[in-house]
Amino acid sequence: MIRTTLATISALLVLTLPAQAADDGIAAPTLRASVTVTSDVVRVGDLIDNAGSAALIPVYRSPDLGTTGALPVAQVLSVLRGKQVIGVMTGDIKQVSVTRLARTLANKDLENAVASALERRFGLGEAANITVTFDRGVSDMRLDASNTGTLQPVATRYDARSGRFDIAFEVNNDNNPAPTKLRLSGTAIETVEVAVLTRDIERTEMLKSSDVSQERRPRSEVTGEAATRDRAVGMQLRRPMRAGTPIRVADIAKPEFVQRDQNVTVIYQVPGLYLTTRGKAIESGAEGDTVNVLNLQSKRTLTGVVTGRGQITVQGASQAPPMAPAVEPADQTSSLQRETPAPTAPAPVSPTKISQAQIPPAQFVQAQAKSE
């Protein structure tokens, strides 16, 4: 008790004689205009410089974590006098701003911590594909600034059917050997980026940019490989689908440029030869597909490649060209050049044959016998 009284008296002597202290080379206690604290109480040493042995005396409860409060100077001096701290120089300060530092864990930080704790566990995939929703609308969380450690999961529970999770975390504390404990609960579902129809689409329609949006959907809604928006645009559905339906890779195909039994243009092309004729597609095909086509002129079945809408190109010498008409119009040109046979020299004739040829054959006239 005596020692405490002596310490208090010493502090009072220092604070009540600012002018004399200045003369002796000791700095006078001076009020601060702005204060930052990390603990839950504001002490004398936080409010004034050169507080001496009175620095650890608590005088106020700190503002809430991450917030700032203002104290009128008159109120501060009154509180200090109540703690036997007097003679504080205030200058022209009107109020003291007190800010309590905090570590803020944003909602996204908490979601990432939960997703990382569940990554590749309980049948889930990558953390980036896990969507987390907290119970009771958990938002940003503030911890004391001394909690500088990372969120370490120490107990994890997850129900794969319902997607419910309950995870306990610990955060190391610089000022306390015991870590700070956090407990988060909610639902976590694996999702996937997938193209989704914005309107009802028939099988024969080609998907336009306005027909498809990109969304995150639960993985359970997409069986098989999900199609992205970029991959779906310009393609054709294999079956009619309704708006809001996610698109799988198996649901789309290249648009069919040729339909079965469709009248098409057949192009026969080899080096030095280019002919076109009409044909009928025996099967449907998209651009680049190999299909069979009936040549309507020769009635032969050819194999070609779909090169455009209603267009099939036949290439190679293995395929017979379309039959040319028997008589071509005078003004019609063709890349086929007809060759005129070269005249052949007569075979040599032997002298015997020549002499025989110069003797005229005998003329025999045989009269018809008269009947008696």
Side-chain angles (χ1 to χ4, degrees), residues 25-36:
I26 301 175
T30 306
L31 188 67
R32 295 171 177 167
S34 179
V35 177
T36 57

Side-chain angles (χ1 to χ4, degrees), residues 86-363:
I86 58 177
V88 178
M89 300 182 65
T90 62
D92 58 354
I93 300 175
K94 303 300 181 182
Q95 64 179 11
V96 178
S97 175
V98 181
T99 300
R100 184 176 180 182
L101 301 179
R103 178 186 178 183
T104 301
L105 296 175
N107 186 268
K108 190 63 178 178
D109 297 330
L110 300 176
E111 291 178 2
N112 291 339
V114 171
S116 297
L118 297 174
E119 185 176 28
R120 299 190 187 91
R121 300 177 63 188
F122 310 104
L124 298 174
E126 301 288 336
N129 295 328
I130 299 177
T131 300
V132 177
T133 303
F134 294 111
D135 291 338
R136 296 182 298 276
V138 175
S139 57
D140 296 352
M141 183 178 295
R142 292 187 176 93
L143 302 179
D144 193 280
S146 60
N147 293 282
T148 57
T150 59
L151 274 71
Q152 295 292 337
V154 293
T156 304
R157 295 180 180 179
Y158 183 77
D159 184 349
R161 288 187 176 182
S162 63
R164 295 283 307 169
F165 70 85
D166 190 339
I167 305 178
F169 292 93
E170 287 186 351
V171 183
N172 290 331
N173 192 313
D174 295 338
N175 298 335
N176 193 332
T180 300
K181 297 183 181 296
L182 298 176
R183 184 175 178 179
L184 301 173
S185 61
T187 57
I189 301 175
E190 184 176 4
T191 60
V192 62
E193 289 278 353
V194 62
V196 178
L197 293 177
T198 59
R199 65 182 182 90
D200 296 350
I201 301 291
E202 296 297 328
R203 177 184 176 278
T204 56
E205 292 187 71
M206 183 184 297
L207 294 175
K208 302 186 295 295
S209 178
S210 59
D211 297 331
V212 185
S213 64
Q214 186 87 353
E215 297 180 11
R216 273 207 168 271
R217 291 291 185 90
R219 182 64 182 166
S220 58
E221 293 184 9
V222 185
T223 57
E225 183 181 358
T228 62
R229 183 174 183 272
D230 291 341
R231 186 169 183 176
V233 172
M235 303 295 278
Q236 182 175 312
L237 296 177
R238 296 183 184 273
R239 58 185 176 86
M241 297 175 65
R242 300 185 66 83
T245 305
I247 305 174
R248 304 169 303 168
V249 172
D251 295 328
I252 56 178
K254 292 181 179 179
E256 293 182 346
F257 284 177
V258 171
Q259 301 290 332
R260 182 179 180 181
D261 295 332
Q262 176 186 354
N263 290 330
V264 297
T265 299
V266 180
I267 300 173
Y268 185 84
Q269 187 173 4
V270 293
L273 178 65
Y274 184 95
L275 295 175
T276 62
T277 187
R278 301 302 298 171
K280 176 178 287 188
I282 298 177
E283 52 193 339
S284 301
E287 186 176 14
D289 289 347
T290 300
V291 297
N292 291 323
V293 58
L294 177 65
N295 185 333
L296 296 179
Q297 186 175 359
S298 66
K299 304 303 181 183
R300 295 188 59 182
T301 299
L302 307 175
T303 301
V305 177
V306 178
T307 54
R309 292 191 177 277
Q311 178 177 294
I312 299 175
T313 299
V314 176
Q315 293 181 336
S318 61
Q319 301 285 352
M323 294 177 60
V327 179
E328 293 184 354
D331 59 347
Q332 182 176 353
T333 60
S334 172
S335 59
L336 289 177
Q337 296 181 356
R338 298 179 179 179
E339 296 182 356
T340 304
T344 58
V349 182
S350 64
T352 304
K353 290 185 177 180
I354 293 175
S355 61
Q356 292 177 354
Q358 293 175 352
I359 300 174
Q363 302 293 327

